[in-house]
Amino acid sequence: MPVESIFHRLEALLPKVQKPIQYVGGELNSTVKDWDSADVRWALMYPDAYEVGLPNQGVAILYEILNELPGTLAERTYAVWPDLEALMRAEGVPQFTVDAHRPVRAFDVLGVSFSTELGYTNLLTALDLAGIPLRAADRGEEDPIVLAGGHAAFNPEPIADFLDAAVLGDGEQISIAISEVIREWKGEGSPGGRDELLMRLAESGGVYVPKFYDVEYHPDGRIKRVAPNRADVPWRVHKHTVMDLDEWPYPKKPLVPLAETVHERFSVEIFRGCTRGCRFCQAGMITRPVRERSITTIGAMVENGIKESGFNEVGLLSLSSADHSEIGEVAKGLADRYEGTNTSLSLPSTRVDAFNIDLANEFSRNGRRSGLTFAPEGGSERMRKVINKMVTEEDLIRTVSTAYSQGWRQVKLYFMCGLPTEQDEDVLGIADLAKKVIQAGREATGSRDIRCTVSIGGFVPKPHTPFQWAGQADHETVDRRLKALRDSLRGDKNYGRAIGFRYHDGKPSIVEGLLSRGDRRVGAVIKAVWEDGGRFDGWSEHFSYERWMSAAEKAGVDVDWYTTREREENEVLPWDHLDAGLDREWLWQDWQEAVTGGEVEDCRWTPCYDCGVCPTMGTEIQIGPTGRKLLPLTVV
Ligand code: SF4
């Protein structure tokens, strides 16, 4: 039976809301398949506004892959702004997809990609608007399977009550495998209802179904154990790793937004994973090992993506793009190819060395020499050793001098505050460093027209990292240190005006910390916050710390216990049954070495130090150089 579009009902509401265009769909390269042509149907959600969600690579890739599968269709849905939410509630309009404006509840799967935990309340809004019971236990045969993915899914416990399932790691292959399980089950007449479907998914070992695991607690609140409550369900669920990125050259047909979005460019992921070993970086840890896309595939994807989308900016993405083994060739080849055209290239630059400046020079051949970003992360040498960010002050000064002398006028430096073992002087060290950067720029150019922006983020300890046991700094400490830093920067007549300072207060990091390392008991807080009007918690204008703290108090959840408390080695962590491949002993040892300033090299260039990922996951580091060329070219 075809499912009717709700667009005629939505259309009447659109003149009354902000940015109505974000809800209409019809973007270049969007796909609407005939409902009856498919027997497996996915609604893919990015739980934030369209302007943030549309450029998300994970959703875009799965959208294409699933729509290419015969008998499968995928449509997109995003979080609606509170103005439209109110009207939808008043008029009884359900959560819809932007592609064919079909009600989300009619789909087999609602797949939600969480880049950050601050999207959890938006999940609840979408479920509620869709008419899907919030709690998985209350769902029936007519409701979709609510499935989480993305980095936050590596600890989905705080939203376990609201999820039917979660998937860890790369989604390309597992989304196809899940579609096949659903197809087979539906083809057999849906035996055993959704319980059996979930069981089939759980038995595969690649899908985590929270309801098949019971959590027991010690009297003091720590977890005693997490154990399967059904036979045939694995004790640990493993992450998925795509080993040959060249086999998955997506997006092939990039979505071109109708409304303004945070990134308007064609992005090519040039490698996945990172083995630099920064101890705070969850993305680096959970995406190991490094798998490079080859220079020829990158060249072909750029060429095809521009042709299919008309974008005039190409971003080469990864966790540390300058580390691709053939990035020099890629940069030169693409800069040559697009020289004189209106296509510009960008590379998120974070590596602190002269090579990075050479790359930036290549990439800016066709565009403006605007700003360069470096991420020393820690303000003092000691702090940088603790986080395993091997950048010396000398490296940084040498690099920025080169940048300024080659015509770059704006340098952005990214740091974190609240890192483990951090003292006041480590944060004040940021001011000294910034002043030295300006001084170096003035000396290199002979000009006083030099700018540097210091941007500071609050550190949040994340699951599956060596800092997963660390006590998070309380927000008062973070705010006090940031205020002292601001005073030190602004109070300096010689440098103050040359240094911009961007930071957030420490409160949102505490909520993020609660959600990152929370367990199932934190779900009650999320629900209470949502009931109290919590929406778009990643947006400072919507975020309310007081709302979160009052909900935690009502739910009997001690926020400090989840955030500022340091964990013992043997404490069962809420995500211990979810396997990112990292050896727990290695993580603990690395945490101990962090405290004593021990450094770990990058296993791309040095021997394996047994973090555990490759043997556990059956993977390996995959890097070049391939020695191949970016050519041939067909279109310039
Ligand atoms: S197992 Fe060895 S080679 Fe593989 S990511 Fe870990 S340290 Fe690197």
Side-chain angles (χ1 to χ4, degrees):
M1 278 286 290
V3 165
E4 301 229 333
S5 162
I6 56 93
F7 190 70
H8 59 290
R9 292 161 66 200
L10 175 69
E11 197 176 14
L13 310 180
L14 294 183
K16 303 174 193 164
V17 302
Q18 286 183 0
K19 299 188 191 168
I21 194 155
Q22 64 185 309
Y23 305 114
V24 302
E27 301 95 335
L28 180 63
N29 293 327
S30 62
T31 305
V32 173
K33 282 172 107 171
D34 178 33
W35 187 259
D36 290 328
S37 73
D39 50 5
V40 179
R41 303 169 184 112
W42 291 68
L44 297 174
M45 177 174 194
Y46 191 82
D48 205 327
Y50 177 90
E51 64 199 81
V52 181
L54 185 127
N56 180 266
Q57 283 277 293
V59 170
I61 290 170
L62 294 187
Y63 176 72
E64 264 192 61
I65 288 175
L66 291 168
N67 275 320
E68 278 181 8
L69 271 188
T72 304
L73 69 77
E75 298 188 12
R76 295 160 297 135
T77 184
Y78 303 100
V80 299
W81 279 115
D83 58 352
L84 182 59
E85 182 194 337
L87 291 169
M88 286 166 70
R89 288 189 186 284
E91 300 299 324
V93 175
Q95 179 80 21
F96 55 87
T97 59
V98 293
D99 296 290
H101 298 93
R102 288 161 172 151
V104 162
R105 187 161 182 252
F107 288 75
D108 297 304
V109 186
L110 170 59
V112 191
S113 177
F114 289 102
S115 310
T116 149
E117 298 81 3
L118 295 173
Y120 289 163
T121 47
N122 285 355
L123 166 69
L124 298 193
T125 310
L127 291 174
D128 192 51
L129 285 173
I132 301 169
L134 296 188
R135 285 167 45 84
D138 299 331
R139 289 179 199 142
E141 300 307 318
E142 299 303 311
D143 294 308
I145 299 296
V146 180
L147 174 83
H151 289 181
F154 277 80
N155 176 25
E157 292 303 274
I159 48 169
D161 285 350
F162 317 123
L163 295 179
D164 294 294
V167 165
L168 281 62
D170 300 335
E172 287 91 338
Q173 289 158 317
I174 186 65
S175 61
I176 296 174
I178 291 172
S179 301
E180 290 314 318
V181 171
I182 297 173
R183 176 167 295 111
E184 206 175 290
W185 170 77
K186 285 177 85 172
E188 292 168 21
S190 311
R194 66 191 286 122
D195 201 64
E196 177 162 340
L197 172 58
L198 289 170
M199 195 60 199
R200 289 187 188 188
L201 291 171
E203 277 171 2
S204 71
V207 179
Y208 173 52
V209 179
K211 76 168 185 172
F212 295 150
Y213 295 79
D214 290 334
V215 185
E216 292 170 37
Y217 300 96
H218 288 293
D220 66 4
R222 287 173 304 129
I223 293 173
K224 192 169 175 193
R225 70 170 202 158
V226 180
N229 54 30
R230 308 254 186 133
D232 303 326
V233 170
W235 279 81
R236 296 192 85 202
V237 180
H238 307 293
K239 77 164 178 183
H240 299 271
T241 308
V242 167
M243 275 315 295
D244 187 350
L245 288 193
D246 285 351
E247 282 182 9
W248 301 90
Y250 295 89
K252 293 176 185 166
K253 288 182 167 287
L255 286 160
V256 182
L258 289 177
E260 201 178 323
T261 58
V262 289
H263 300 300
E264 283 172 18
R265 63 181 174 220
F266 172 54
S267 297
V268 177
E269 194 182 9
I270 62 173
F271 65 85
R272 236 174 241 184
C274 180
T275 40
R276 285 197 159 244
C278 302
R279 294 181 172 120
F280 56 84
C281 181
Q282 186 192 41
M285 292 289 165
I286 61 178
T287 58
R288 287 174 174 227
V290 170
R291 292 144 287 147
E292 285 187 355
R293 191 162 257 153
S294 72
I295 182 170
T296 35
T297 306
I298 295 169
M301 284 181 71
V302 169
E303 184 188 354
N304 171 70
I306 290 174
K307 194 173 78 193
E308 294 290 343
S309 67
F311 279 125
N312 58 11
E313 186 183 337
V314 177
L316 300 183
L317 301 188
S318 72
L319 291 171
S320 173
S321 292
D323 284 337
H324 189 286
S325 62
E326 286 173 304
I327 191 67
E329 281 285 319
V330 170
K332 184 170 180 326
L334 290 178
D336 285 349
R337 185 194 283 184
Y338 296 107
E339 186 153 18
T341 71
N342 64 354
T343 298
S344 66
L345 305 159
S346 68
L347 184 84
S349 49
T350 56
R351 225 170 86 167
V352 183
D353 60 25
F355 176 64
N356 210 0
I357 311 274
D358 293 344
L359 290 176
N361 290 343
E362 286 291 0
F363 280 113
S364 65
R365 255 202 256 165
N366 240 5
R368 288 175 302 125
R369 221 159 247 212
S370 49
L372 280 179
T373 303
F374 300 106
E377 316 277 5
S380 66
E381 206 97 359
R382 187 195 72 80
M383 202 68 260
R384 291 193 290 275
K385 278 195 173 155
V386 169
I387 60 178
N388 203 45
K389 190 92 190 185
M390 290 177 277
V391 177
T392 62
E393 185 176 306
E394 213 186 339
D395 292 336
L396 181 68
I397 299 302
R398 196 180 326 112
T399 304
V400 293
S401 293
T402 313
Y404 286 124
S405 67
Q406 295 190 9
W408 298 86
R409 287 286 171 268
Q410 176 71 267
V411 165
K412 189 169 167 186
L413 301 175
Y414 187 80
F415 297 92
M416 282 185 290
C417 182
L419 288 160
T421 78
E422 181 184 276
Q423 301 296 317
D424 293 3
E425 59 264 26
D426 295 309
V427 178
L428 287 172
I430 296 172
D432 295 337
L433 211 49
K435 290 172 197 173
K436 285 179 187 161
V437 162
I438 295 293
Q439 185 58 34
R442 287 174 181 170
E443 281 167 16
T445 61
S447 160
R448 286 183 71 81
D449 180 25
I450 293 293
R451 296 275 308 157
C452 151
T453 303
V454 170
S455 193
I456 315 233
F459 167 67
V460 178
K462 294 278 181 173
H464 306 283
T465 68
F467 290 160
Q468 64 181 356
W469 289 277
Q472 186 175 349
D474 57 57
H475 72 87
E476 290 89 351
T477 304
V478 169
D479 289 345
R480 183 174 50 75
R481 288 183 182 150
L482 289 178
K483 183 175 176 306
L485 173 60
R486 190 193 60 192
D487 292 347
S488 167
L489 286 170
R490 294 215 175 132
D492 193 309
K493 287 202 183 85
N494 197 16
Y495 297 101
R497 290 203 175 165
I499 302 170
F501 185 44
R502 293 208 188 120
Y503 67 99
H504 296 289
D505 71 66
K507 287 175 176 171
S509 299
I510 291 292
V511 172
E512 196 186 332
L514 170 70
L515 299 175
S516 296
R517 292 193 294 171
D519 54 37
R520 293 187 182 184
R521 294 167 292 190
V522 172
V525 184
I526 298 168
K527 186 157 174 285
V529 165
W530 176 78
E531 283 166 348
D532 191 25
R535 308 286 188 274
F536 290 92
D537 285 293
W539 295 67
S540 50
E541 61 266 48
H542 291 281
F543 175 80
S544 162
Y545 181 72
E546 290 65 37
R547 181 154 50 205
W548 279 94
M549 292 309 111
S550 124
E553 201 180 325
K554 275 186 218 145
V557 164
D558 178 350
V559 176
D560 285 345
W561 191 83
Y562 283 97
T563 54
T564 58
R565 180 177 65 95
E566 186 171 328
R567 280 70 162 166
E568 301 274 322
E569 179 179 5
N570 294 327
E571 176 169 340
V572 176
L573 302 172
W575 51 91
D576 275 349
H577 57 300
L578 301 172
D579 187 9
L582 295 149
D583 182 49
R584 202 181 196 274
E585 271 174 40
W586 178 79
L587 283 173
W588 175 262
Q589 198 187 327
D590 203 42
W591 164 224
Q592 299 309 299
E593 282 184 18
V595 181
T596 54
E599 292 173 346
V600 185
E601 301 279 330
D602 186 333
C603 62
R604 253 174 300 197
W605 330 111
T606 62
C608 166
Y609 47 76
D610 294 327
C611 80
V613 169
C614 294
T616 314
M617 298 285 137
T619 55
E620 60 182 7
I621 298 264
Q622 267 188 3
I623 56 168
T626 60
R628 283 183 274 168
K629 294 279 173 225
L630 199 63
L631 302 171
L633 275 184
T634 51
V635 178
V636 173

